[in-house]
Amino acid sequence: LVLRCSLCGSRAFTRVRYSRLSLCRRHYAEFFERRVKNTVERYRLFKNVKRLLVCVSGGKDSVAMLYALKPYAEKCNVELLGLTIDLGIGDYSKRSVEAAVEAFKNNDVEYLLVDLSAEYGFDLDTVAENVEKLRMPKGVCSYCGSVKRYIFNKAALDSECDAVATGHNLDDLLSFTLTSMASGQVDLLIKLQPKNRGVDRLVTRIRPLATLTNRETLLYVMSIGASYVDLECPYTPERSMQKTIVEKLSEIEHRYPGFKLALYKSLLRVLRKTEVKTGPLVHCEKCGMPSSTRICSFCRLKSLMTERIGEKTTETRVTARRV
Ligand code: AMP
Ligand code: FES
Ligand code: ZN
Ligand code: ZN
């Protein structure tokens, strides 16, 4: 028995259980792209956006975001500029950057390549080494997160983009939120939203895949045959509360299709009725970027790391490549 596409009758590629449809590759890709478009419209992600910085790591999510967003952005007259950061995590970063660049080229999107080490004098491998040596208070991924957020924001300001898009999907947002709540960090609930409007020099953040699951996103990149890196960062802990939550939510989703999205929408409604306080922003005394402390976390990390490396020459260079 061969399952047939509910729309065209050709061989089915997958079944979308909560809408009771079997779809061929082409119709699945269209279905996914429509879902992304609906998310952009429903949450007004392109409102006041003329130029959008699309951050692509080379992983399936951000690659999917770029492919799904490109034709629709064009229709809406939103200009895309790509960004990929070479974090200096050995072979993992090398392959990730290659995949991101391939995605930019295939989509005819101009892009920036920021080499963390060349531009700021340290890389993530150095951070990882010192997290243990110096018994730094947080894990590698947490420092990496602040490095990425800093560079996204700075690149957006420097290249006059009105917003930054990342590939966070429904599983990422739900698991991050539940983990934050379980550790009492209620303020972080605000990051659940598909859009966080910018203030001052903090650029607006959008998450066009907010309503799509890990699985749906993976099926999309497979359906269009896009290449992506399916390696996990070597610094990702084998086990974590966030990973466990994703696993458990997926078990529930399997039994009750549509569960994740329903939970997400309800949490957004609760959030709308809540006042989440965010601390006051100041400008970092070193770099002038928005920060909650006198010296921003990026500058503190950078000083600590470059001290450790010694006085290695750090010529400043942003490698902006045009297609
Ligand atoms: P992660 O923090 O690795 O879960 O990534 C979340 C999102 O941040 C991805 O979907 C990308 O949009 C973006 N991102 C992560 N790493 C990079 C990178 N090295 N360069 C550009 N964007 C990235
Ligand atoms: Fe940042 Fe792994 S990608 S620590
Ligand atoms: Zn079909
Ligand atoms: Zn700073």
Side-chain angles (χ1 to χ4, degrees):
L1 184 80
V2 182
L3 218 52
R4 298 277 157 194
C5 173
S6 317
L7 301 181
C8 72
S10 60
R11 197 189 186 91
F13 166 69
T14 185
R15 189 166 164 74
V16 183
R17 285 176 64 212
Y18 58 83
S19 50
R20 299 206 170 102
L21 287 175
S22 297
L23 297 172
C24 66
R25 275 175 195 268
R26 185 167 70 85
H27 282 120
Y28 179 76
E30 284 178 8
F31 161 82
F32 183 92
E33 286 160 12
R34 207 162 44 241
R35 290 275 312 276
V36 174
K37 172 177 173 274
N38 290 345
T39 306
V40 172
E41 282 176 355
R42 170 174 246 243
Y43 300 103
R44 299 167 199 262
L45 302 189
F46 284 171
K47 195 178 166 208
N48 299 326
V49 179
K50 292 205 171 60
R51 202 163 135 83
L52 176 64
L53 187 71
V54 185
C55 302
V56 178
S57 63
K60 71 174 198 316
D61 300 305
S62 47
V63 165
M65 164 174 70
L66 181 66
Y67 279 89
L69 219 48
K70 178 66 202 306
Y72 181 58
E74 221 152 55
K75 256 189 224 149
C76 301
N77 278 321
V78 171
E79 190 190 341
L80 301 185
L81 175 67
L83 167 69
T84 191
I85 308 170
D86 185 338
L87 294 160
I89 307 178
D91 195 43
Y92 170 74
S93 287
K94 223 170 117 197
R95 291 179 53 188
S96 302
V97 168
E98 277 168 16
V101 167
E102 186 185 326
F104 292 136
K105 287 187 173 163
N106 281 343
N107 284 284
D108 226 352
V109 167
E110 198 179 300
Y111 65 95
L112 304 168
L113 170 59
V114 174
D115 181 325
L116 181 63
S117 169
E119 186 147 357
Y120 296 101
F122 70 100
D123 58 21
L124 251 294
D125 279 342
T126 313
V127 175
E129 229 179 272
N130 285 291
V131 158
E132 283 175 27
K133 268 195 209 150
L134 306 180
R135 301 219 183 105
M136 288 159 69
K138 295 181 195 160
V140 185
C141 296
S142 164
Y143 294 106
C144 179
S146 85
V147 165
K148 286 190 268 199
R149 283 191 298 276
Y150 182 89
I151 294 177
F152 295 164
N153 197 66
K154 178 147 182 11
L157 289 173
D158 289 353
S159 58
E160 294 177 337
C161 289
D162 323 289
V164 169
T166 54
H168 292 98
N169 65 35
L170 181 54
D171 290 80
D172 297 331
L173 296 177
L174 282 178
S175 60
F176 176 79
T177 301
L178 295 175
T179 309
S180 309
M181 291 182 75
S183 61
Q185 294 172 282
V186 181
D187 293 1
L188 293 178
L189 194 61
I190 197 124
K191 289 198 180 181
L192 182 72
Q193 300 179 110
K195 176 176 191 161
N196 290 120
R197 215 168 290 142
V199 276
D200 187 42
R201 305 187 73 193
L202 210 53
V203 179
T204 296
R205 286 285 298 269
I206 66 168
R207 304 173 183 95
L209 303 189
T211 62
L212 291 139
T213 63
N214 257 332
R215 182 171 177 273
E216 287 170 322
T217 307
L218 178 63
L219 285 171
Y220 175 65
V221 285
M222 286 166 59
S223 74
I224 60 171
S227 45
Y228 63 96
V229 173
D230 71 347
L231 299 169
E232 188 168 58
C233 165
Y235 300 125
T236 306
E238 192 91 18
R239 291 230 59 88
S240 65
M241 185 190 282
Q242 206 173 331
K243 273 189 179 172
T244 310
I245 292 176
V246 170
E247 278 167 31
K248 297 300 166 193
L249 289 177
S250 300
E251 276 172 31
I252 305 176
E253 176 75 27
H254 187 72
R255 190 166 303 180
Y256 304 102
F259 168 80
K260 288 177 185 173
L261 189 57
L263 175 64
Y264 181 66
K265 288 187 172 168
S266 298
L267 285 171
L268 283 182
R269 281 169 57 195
V270 173
L271 184 61
R272 245 175 265 138
K273 293 182 179 160
T274 331
E275 240 180 81
V276 181
K277 283 198 201 94
T278 45
L281 278 183
V282 294
H283 291 144
C284 168
E285 286 178 9
K286 285 203 167 166
C287 70
M289 288 291 124
S291 168
S292 51
T293 45
R294 205 167 55 81
I295 310 268
C296 75
S297 57
F298 180 82
C299 284
R300 275 181 283 153
L301 181 69
K302 178 172 165 256
S303 311
L304 190 62
M305 288 306 122
T306 43
E307 257 169 43
R308 296 292 298 181
I309 302 174
E311 290 311 303
K312 208 174 107 181
T313 43
T314 58
E315 83 268 28
T316 300
R317 176 172 64 95
V318 190
T319 338
R321 289 205 193 138
R322 276 156 207 277
V323 183

